[in-house]
Amino acid sequence: MATGKQDRLRRAGGVFDPLKDSSVDKLRARSIPKTPQSVSPSYRLAYTDEDFLCRDELRPVRLQLELLKPEMMLAEMGIQSTVVLFGGARIPAPGADPWAARNEVQRKNLTEASVYYEEARKFAALCAKESAHHDHQEFVVITGGGPGVMEAGNRGASEAGAPTIGLNILLPHEQAPNPYVTPALSFNFHYFAIRKMHFLMRARAIAVFPGGFGTLDELFEAVTLIQTRRMARIPLILFAEKFWNTIIDFQALADFGTIAPEDMELITFVETAEEAWKVIADFYELEEARP
């Protein structure tokens, strides 16, 4: 690559670019003298005008931005593949108060389900140990970034010394990212559809724990893409077989004929983190079934 005194005009990656950097003009625009013309909304630079970017007509642009920003940042961090953990935000850690319970039956159920918080934490730690063999670029744990099972997944990976991704979304009730998400890998979304794309774009395996509508949505999105071959076959692991077979009669779908009998093979039921990791290790023929 040619070098010289004009190297300051090169962008990241070495591309020579003599045009003015947009970030420079963004700062310069702030110091323009205040006049009736310069303070008019029409005078704002389009890419710094939040009111303009939030117009209905700009929805396609916002969709593109939510797709681009995390993709670019994950690529810059060298993340090559992920293990996705889906599951309920309302499942407490062992010994913690089941804050979401509305009655004694729910309190009992959620308290008992805390075992899956611990299994999610252990499973994420196993993924993190394998990830360490790949400079933390492969098998990186990714969750929805919230509480419950999501927290357990980020926590297990973080405690094992691995970076961990959180894809939060703005909801009517306040939800901050859980403290175990790596700050540089903590993202926020407006569009559920784009968020779900990011869950699957690098997924080498998906583990689904007991959860509610959101978890069901994520499960059926993934299994439909795999069933229709719009997505490669990857391990799709469901923790807590009794829970899943209580709320969804998968076999009834096959018996009725609305899914093929072989579609049942797209899902694997497990109870423990070790069982789940073995499914992944066997599927990818990992060296000595690490970790």
Side-chain angles (χ1 to χ4, degrees), residues 229-242:
R229 300 184 183 179
R230 298 303 303 268
M231 177 177 176
R233 176 80 180 270
I234 63 173
L236 180 55
I237 304 163
L238 271 60
F239 279 75
E241 183 172 7
K242 181 180 178 181

Side-chain angles (χ1 to χ4, degrees), residues 56-71:
D56 289 345
E57 299 90 339
L58 271 290
R59 178 175 289 165
V61 175
R62 295 194 299 274
L63 286 162
Q64 185 178 25
L65 290 174
E66 285 208 347
L67 181 62
L68 275 172
K69 180 180 177 180
E71 172 61 24

Side-chain angles (χ1 to χ4, degrees), residues 159-174:
E159 290 172 340
T164 176
I165 305 167
L167 306 183
N168 271 79
I169 190 160
L170 290 169
L171 299 173
H173 55 277
E174 184 177 354

Side-chain angles (χ1 to χ4, degrees), residues 26 106 126 143 157 168 172 175 187 206-207 212 229 236 246 271:
K26 180 180 72 172
Q106 289 189 353
L126 293 175
T143 82
N168 271 79
Q175 177 181 311
F187 301 98
I206 301 170
R229 300 184 183 179
L236 180 55
T246 297
E271 298 300 322

Side-chain angles (χ1 to χ4, degrees), residues 6 18-19 27 33 76 136 172 225 262 275-276:
Q6 296 300 319
L19 299 176
L27 295 174
E76 288 168 1
H136 295 301
L225 288 172
E262 59 268 25
E275 289 177 308

Side-chain angles (χ1 to χ4, degrees), residues 16-28:
F16 189 81
D17 185 357
L19 299 176
K20 180 67 67 178
D21 189 313
S22 59
S23 62
V24 173
D25 272 355
K26 180 180 72 172
L27 295 174
R28 183 172 292 165

